[in-house]
Amino acid sequence: MNYEVIVVGGGHAGCEAALASSRMGHTTLLVTGNIKNIADMPCNPSIGGPAKGVVVREIDALGGEMARNTDKSSLQMKMLNTKKGPAVWAMRAQADKITYKEEMLKTLEKEEKLTIKESLVEDLIVEENKIKGVILEDQEEIFSRAVILTTGTYLKSSILIGSSKKKEGPHGERSSKFLSDRLKELGFTIKRLKTGTPPRLEKDSIDFSRIAVEEGSKEDLTFSYDSKTATAYKHQVPCHLVYTNQKTHDIIKEHLKESSMYGGYVEGVGPRYCPSIEDKVVRFSTKDRHQLFLEPESLFYDDIYLQGFSTSMPEYVQEEMVHSIKGLEHAKILKYAYAIEYDAIDSKQVKPTLETKLIEGLYTAGQINGTSGYEEAAGQGLLASINACLKLEGKEPLILKRNESYIGVLIDDLVTKGVRDPYRLLTSRAEYRLLLRNDNADLRLREYGYQLGLVDEERHQKLEKKKEEIHELITYLKKTKLTPTKEVNSYLEKIETSPLKDSITLYDLLKRPEVTMDKIECYLDKKYQKEVIEEVEINIKYEGYIKKQEMEAEKMLSLENKKIPSTINYQEIKNIASEARQKLEEIKPLTLGQASRISGVNPSDIAILSVYLKKRGEEK
């Protein structure tokens, strides 16, 4: 059997990859070890969070599925960081694990050009450094022009609890035993990484009367720009907040050497920004407590996820740890926490298109590239598939820039800097985060989705209407003036802002910190949709900061537009530092901009490289 694209793995990266390639008109095969686990959430039952929530909206803007699927399955929606500026606003949803999987599978099965096959891929068909297809565990050969590996934590994975180590994937599933060995034979550097998950508790065994309630936002929120509604806030399921205490910490310290990590049983490097509870106690020894959340996993069963309590302690120690927490004294553990190790490749061996440098037509996305998180995986899967299809069509790739999207920041970090521990996207990683806001992902990226054929005409027209209304409202605010009449000043005093001495436009009035759009809505000539109001208000109030970041981005783009030919010989360039030469040869940056972000390459090296390219007439 022949396909144009084969996607290996049915996790969040694989789902987005398979949907994108089939929707772009290419015959696609999705190979997964267990169809029942497609779009599974083996760890936390949530989508979004700081930076990650913006990624979900970017996926939606490009025509991906994660946002719409989350809206179909949400138990609770919350806008985070609302007491801070809009650069760090982000949504987070508690998703029903059962509904999420079921809805995604329905979506996949509707695609005419997509076939799903239940099996494991154990080898690749490669000829003259070009991908030709895959070999399944039963030795069946399936041919294709592009292969996208989205293997998640299933490459030679092992589950660790205390001193126990089992060679299996999440939920005790079979793992891929030989594919990472094959990748190593092909020249890929294989890394061993680790992540973990906390225990699940029986809902009825928790004393909720002694625990603080965490509600969702008191407004209807949707991740997708196209969803009519998600779970109405009046019907959302609450989460709850608990804390560790000194007794918890004492138990952890007493049994520290029994954990997989501190007992020396772990080979892989764990996530820096999502450490286990024992790691938190050791690393932050001055803290007398750590915040934990009790999160519902589904309406179909009573498992409660103990967010922030990831551990690899033996089961009997986990019992003591959980029972030391207020409200959980009699909690029944339904599923014990564990650590999981798995193989990944060195992401510096991947191009910004997510095509590997060693094998033409082979793409990688998700945890195989060293990332953590459903959202990071989904974003990579979408872009890998888009670029695989564009290559099949003989078109230019889509490489999102750092000032265009968090997905662009993520991929650039991976391929330029590489990872030592599982990469987690943070707002602090984006130098242009005020441009990459939760509210404007559609304005930044939806045009790309439309040009790719992933966004239909109806959704594109909705975007055009939004743009028109934004322009119309800004124009109205700039031309409409308030004069210092008794009536006007009386109203301004009512909304707790200074009365006028001279005329002022509504545009300038809105720049006052205490004046918001809802307070001057009475002066508007018509009603505008909520997202238009929000967009205009943010752009006016943060105008100076936004313009500053746009100017900084323009400087970056001037370097980004200067291409470096693939044939360049860095050994010929005199006066470049030896470390810079080594890193440039390893990464093979596509532009001066990318070269400037490589660790060990200094501004002086970039200046020398720029002069060299100009002399050869190769800087474009």
Side-chain angles (χ1 to χ4, degrees), residues 139-386:
Q139 298 305 302
E140 179 186 358
E141 295 185 351
I142 305 178
F143 297 91
S144 68
R145 297 169 62 194
V147 172
I148 306 171
L149 298 180
T150 67
T151 49
T153 59
Y154 284 84
L155 278 184
K156 274 196 174 179
S157 54
S158 295
I159 298 290
L160 298 97
I161 301 177
S163 60
S164 168
K165 190 171 186 177
K166 296 180 181 179
K167 293 183 179 181
E168 58 188 29
H171 313 302
E173 296 284 331
R174 295 178 303 143
S175 65
S176 177
K177 298 178 181 177
F178 307 111
L179 186 54
S180 60
D181 290 337
R182 176 61 169 144
L183 290 170
K184 190 173 184 179
E185 288 174 12
L186 292 168
F188 289 95
T189 300
I190 301 299
K191 297 186 171 190
R192 195 74 173 157
L193 299 178
K194 178 198 82 79
T195 187
T197 191
R200 274 62 161 182
L201 312 178
E202 185 180 72
K203 182 179 179 181
D204 291 342
S205 67
I206 298 169
D207 185 356
F208 288 104
S209 67
R210 304 174 63 212
I211 298 174
V213 178
E214 282 287 312
E215 302 283 359
S217 294
K218 300 297 182 184
E219 58 180 320
D220 286 327
L221 298 171
T222 61
F223 262 117
S224 175
Y225 290 95
D226 306 306
S227 294
K228 303 298 183 188
T229 183
T231 301
Y233 70 87
K234 295 177 182 178
H235 305 290
Q236 292 187 50
V237 179
C239 297
H240 292 80
L241 178 65
V242 294
Y243 295 91
T244 61
N245 52 53
Q246 191 57 52
K247 183 178 179 182
T248 317
H249 298 183
D250 289 343
I251 293 169
I252 289 170
K253 290 173 184 175
E254 180 184 349
H255 297 280
L256 197 60
K257 293 297 182 182
E258 295 179 59
S259 78
S260 299
M261 184 169 66
Y262 286 92
Y265 304 105
V266 171
E267 300 172 36
V269 180
R272 179 192 303 259
Y273 297 103
C274 190
S276 65
I277 189 63
E278 54 262 42
D279 208 15
K280 289 179 189 176
V281 169
V282 171
R283 285 166 56 185
F284 308 106
S285 57
T286 57
K287 293 195 70 171
D288 56 5
R289 67 178 190 172
H290 292 281
Q291 182 175 267
L292 310 171
F293 288 94
L294 294 169
E295 300 175 341
E297 290 203 324
S298 175
L299 295 178
F300 295 92
Y301 56 81
D302 289 335
D303 291 27
I304 298 295
Y305 180 92
L306 187 53
Q307 173 78 279
F309 210 69
S310 171
T311 182
S312 59
M313 286 285 194
E315 293 174 0
Y316 84 95
V317 180
Q318 291 188 39
E319 294 276 357
E320 291 183 39
M321 290 161 59
V322 168
H323 294 157
S324 70
I325 296 169
K326 181 180 177 181
L328 307 184
E329 292 89 348
H330 304 290
K332 181 180 179 181
I333 299 179
L334 298 174
K335 184 178 180 181
Y336 290 97
Y338 60 84
I340 183 169
E341 289 185 329
Y342 55 95
D343 282 350
I345 66 168
D346 184 349
S347 59
K348 296 195 298 296
Q349 294 179 299
V350 178
K351 300 175 184 177
T353 59
L354 295 180
E355 182 181 25
T356 63
K357 296 175 181 177
L358 299 177
I359 307 298
E360 185 179 349
L362 178 64
Y363 295 76
T364 53
Q367 285 172 293
I368 190 173
N369 285 339
T371 59
S372 65
Y374 311 143
E375 306 83 0
E376 289 95 331
Q380 290 174 72
L382 178 59
L383 265 292
S385 186
I386 286 171

